[in-house]
Structures are given as C-alpha cells and as structure tokens.
Amino acid sequence: MSTKLISILFIGAVLFLIFIVNMIRKKYIDLKFAITWIILSFILIFISVFPGIVFFISKLLDIKTPVNTLFILVIFFLLNIIFILSITVSQCIYNNNILTQEIGILKLKTENLEDLYIKENKLTH
Amino acid sequence: MIKILIIIPAFNEEENLQQLFNKIKKINNNYDILVINDCSKDYTSKICKDNKVNVIDLPINLGIGGAVQTGYKYAYYNNYDLAIQLDGDGQHNPEYIDIMVSEIINKGNNFCIGSRFIDNQGFQSTIMRRIGIKYFSYLIKLITGSNITDPTSGYRACDRKIIKYFCEYYPRDYPEPETIVLLSKKKYKISEIPVIMNERTGGKSSISSFKSVYYMIKVTLATLIISLSHNEEVL
C-alpha cells in the first residue's frame, strides 16, 4: 500500500464522515442506518493512520498484496450492509401491505357510513 | 378552560392498564386520556374500550417514539393546550400531573419532567441503569449546559409549542434523552419536579441489557450530532 493510496483513503474517509454527519443532521438518513457508515469511515480513517493493521492481517491470512486485504475487508463490510438492507426492505414491504389492507378496510367503512348517512337523512346523491 | 391530554403509550400492558385508569379517575375525572395501542397482541385495546378510554390501535408496531408521536399529533389536531406523557406500565403515578401542569401554566416553562432522582424516593431502577442515566445527565450538561437529573424519564408534560414541534420530529428509538437535547438547543424552558415511581408490576420491559449498550452509543452520537447544528431560536 503506497503512501499515495493511504492519503487518498484518509481524505476520502474524512470527507465521507463529514457528508454522513451532515445527512444525519438534515434528517435525510436515520441514525440507526447511518451508524454503520460512521463506523466504516472511522475504520478507514484508522487504517489510513495505522496501515500496519492491514499488513498484519495480510500476513495472518497469507494474502500477498495488502491492498487485497483492504478489498476483502471492505467487501465483507458491504455484504453485511446489503444484507441488512434486504431485511429492512422486506420489513418495509410487509408494513406497506398492512397499511394498504387497513386503508382498504377503512374505505369500505367510510363508504358504508356515507350510504347510511345519505339514507337516514333522505338526501339525494 | 385549558385542554389537557394524557398520552399513554402501551404495548401489551393488559396487566397494568386497569389499575392505572382507576388511579387517574380517582384523582380527576375530567382529564382526556388517549392510549396509543402499539399493535399489542393482548387485550390492551379491549381494556381501554371497556373503560371508555379513547384508544388508537396502530396497525403496525412503531416503538415508543412512533407511538408517542401519534399522541402528540392527536393533541395538535384536537387543539390541546397541554400534553402529558405517562407510561402504560404503571410506573408513573398520576398524582403529579397537576403539579406538572402548574409548572407550565404558572411558572412559564415549556416542558416539565418528572424525575426520580431529585428526592431519590421510590423505585430508583437498577444500578446499571442508574449509571447509564448519570452518564446521560453528564452528556446533556456538557452539550447544552442544562442540569437534568432524569433524562430517560418518560413522565413529561409539554405546552402547545412543543406539541407542534414533536408532531414534526420525534426520534424513533430511545427518544427521551434526545428530545431533551433538541428542546434545550431550541432554547425551550425545561423544568423538573421530583416524583416517586413504582416498580413495574406486570408485563415485560422493552429495554434489554444488550439494547442498553446500543441505546447509549446511539444517543451519544445523536446528541453530538445535534450539538453541531446551528443554534435555533424559540419560535
């Protein structure tokens, strides 16, 4: 890992952190999900300040090029996030189902009430 | 006549609600009560209807934040002057409601919290939780300068300005400390009164020990990020 890569990583991670915090502040993203991205940016900043960690893990896992270790770590992290998002989307779809059904039932109720009101007051449509 | 709404969020509280309603009715028959049934699986809703208490049956479980915000929206749409938030598990005693109302109406505060830790009487919660609460007190003091002894208390009262604010934004998980920081930032006047709380008699609490750690990290982060916002004036 060259010093060029490390500095790009550092600057990128810091900018990303600022961006995420701003998104949270403006309420564009929920803190619950943003936490994972905040943790990622802190890890990246940490790695760019202490690249020795990546070298250490590379030796541990018998990986020849340390950049590959960085790739594996980030890919693993991304897989986690995507999986969690899949779960979240499933829950959203499920909740949408429930809301749609409730609205359907409420619509029928109000239509019936409307008809009843019209009938009882002998109004014309 | 000042319109006061008591908001009671409830999730599977069939064991505690009847006693709570009896206590409230004994003190004052004229408060408007609204129970937010957060998609309970038990007879929470039925008990409310049997007692002729207004209940909103949410079709999806939203958690404490979403449930209580529903109450604030109802309070806003129905032009209530004051909203009091009370837990559905029987830990909060309704006899302090009049004092909290007086703190807002007579003393000019916007927000009043019922704190266990001013007189340190009654149920004081577990040691772990007390340490957590002290931590939040300290964090809030650091960020906002306000001295709040019980930042996680769900026993709180607020006026119309805050009811309107909560309609627009209310945090979803663990809202109590975060809302205090938000209100402080907006320069609302917050006061605390001493209350005695009871231990939960029936049902289960919704915060486990693992969730407590997540709670602390999340609220710390949220507080730090809020502190980065520009100081906004009270409307």
Side-chain angles (χ1 to χ4, degrees):
Chain A
M1 290 219 303
S2 61
T3 12
K4 222 191 280 185
L5 179 62
I6 293 177
S7 4
I8 293 177
L9 192 61
F10 182 77
I11 296 174
V14 170
L15 286 177
F16 184 60
L17 183 64
I18 296 175
F19 177 68
I20 280 283
V21 167
N22 210 30
M23 286 272 129
I24 298 172
R25 218 170 48 83
K26 292 207 190 137
K27 313 217 170 71
Y28 287 159
I29 183 172
D30 224 42
L31 190 64
K32 207 197 292 197
F33 300 114
I35 283 184
T36 353
W37 295 110
I38 291 183
I39 294 178
L40 176 66
S41 56
F42 271 127
I43 293 178
L44 289 179
I45 292 178
F46 187 74
I47 288 180
S48 50
V49 173
F50 299 110
I53 299 266
V54 180
F55 293 121
F56 175 69
I57 299 178
S58 315
K59 280 218 194 98
L60 211 62
L61 298 174
D62 266 337
I63 299 175
K64 288 252 171 79
T65 331
V67 189
N68 289 340
T69 317
L70 194 59
F71 282 151
I72 288 188
L73 289 176
V74 176
I75 288 177
F76 174 71
F77 196 88
L78 289 177
L79 281 176
N80 259 308
I81 292 185
I82 294 177
F83 180 66
I84 290 175
L85 281 179
S86 308
I87 297 178
T88 312
V89 169
S90 303
Q91 284 179 330
C92 282
I93 293 177
Y94 176 69
N95 286 343
N96 269 337
N97 263 342
I98 295 178
L99 287 176
T100 310
Q101 290 157 350
E102 292 290 319
I103 290 179
I105 293 176
L106 273 176
K107 269 177 83 172
L108 181 59
K109 246 195 205 170
T110 48
E111 281 161 9
N112 286 342
L113 279 175
E114 261 181 342
D115 290 341
L116 188 64
Y117 183 78
I118 290 172
K119 207 195 320 187
E120 300 230 312
N121 290 283
K122 299 191 173 62
L123 299 168
T124 48
H125 274 271
Chain B
M1 258 318 286
I2 300 181
K3 273 181 92 172
I4 299 176
L5 179 69
I6 302 179
I7 300 173
I8 305 180
F11 179 65
N12 292 335
E13 297 289 3
E14 65 182 358
E15 295 178 34
N16 299 314
L17 280 178
Q18 185 62 60
Q19 204 176 32
L20 182 58
F21 292 154
N22 294 341
K23 276 195 209 169
I24 296 178
K25 293 224 165 94
K26 222 194 285 182
I27 294 175
N28 184 333
N29 231 337
N30 290 321
Y31 290 138
D32 290 338
I33 306 176
L34 177 69
V35 171
I36 315 288
N37 171 19
D38 200 2
C39 207
S40 303
K41 304 281 178 266
D42 66 1
Y43 291 111
T44 295
S45 184
K46 182 170 187 304
I47 295 180
C48 298
K49 297 190 171 125
D50 288 343
N51 280 277
K52 300 222 179 13
V53 169
N54 275 333
V55 55
I56 291 183
D57 293 313
L58 295 176
I60 298 173
N61 175 277
L62 295 181
I64 182 75
V68 161
Q69 191 183 31
T70 312
Y72 286 120
K73 288 191 176 175
Y74 181 91
Y76 181 64
Y77 297 146
N78 289 286
N79 293 312
Y80 280 93
D81 299 299
L82 249 83
I84 318 241
Q85 193 186 320
L86 205 74
D87 277 355
D89 57 7
Q91 289 190 331
H92 300 156
N93 289 312
E95 58 225 38
Y96 301 100
I97 293 179
D98 284 330
I99 308 179
M100 291 178 108
V101 170
S102 156
E103 283 281 311
I104 295 184
I105 308 261
N106 300 330
K107 295 199 185 163
N109 292 301
N110 300 111
F111 194 69
C112 181
I113 303 171
S115 166
R116 291 163 272 200
F117 304 120
I118 295 181
D119 286 347
N120 284 308
Q121 286 185 305
F123 179 58
Q124 299 284 288
S125 196
T126 64
I127 293 192
M128 282 316 297
R129 291 249 181 126
R130 283 212 298 277
I131 294 179
I133 290 173
K134 277 239 164 76
Y135 165 73
F136 286 132
S137 272
Y138 173 68
L139 187 66
I140 291 178
K141 178 103 205 274
L142 197 68
I143 303 280
T144 68
S146 319
N147 245 324
I148 307 283
T149 59
D150 198 349
T152 63
S153 167
Y155 198 174
R156 14 175 70 192
C158 60
D159 67 0
R160 292 203 66 148
K161 292 191 187 146
I162 297 187
I163 291 175
K164 179 158 192 252
Y165 177 63
F166 282 164
C167 283
E168 292 158 23
Y169 178 68
Y170 199 80
R172 282 188 317 130
D173 324 296
Y174 315 119
E176 291 87 12
E178 199 179 327
T179 41
I180 294 176
V181 178
L182 284 167
L183 294 177
S184 272
K185 263 273 157 174
K186 287 199 167 276
K187 310 270 198 315
Y188 286 114
K189 291 181 64 184
I190 304 178
S191 85
E192 276 186 305
I193 59 159
V195 298
I196 297 179
M197 291 195 191
N198 317 313
E199 203 161 344
R200 177 184 257 282
T201 49
K204 282 191 336 152
S205 167
S206 58
I207 299 187
S208 69
S209 1
F210 174 68
K211 279 198 203 167
S212 307
V213 178
Y214 166 69
Y215 183 179
M216 298 191 68
I217 299 177
K218 192 225 165 209
V219 175
T220 308
L221 262 177
T223 308
L224 292 174
I225 293 180
I226 292 172
S227 73
L228 292 173
S229 311
H230 306 296
N231 278 322
E232 289 155 78
E233 291 303 315
V234 175
L235 341 101

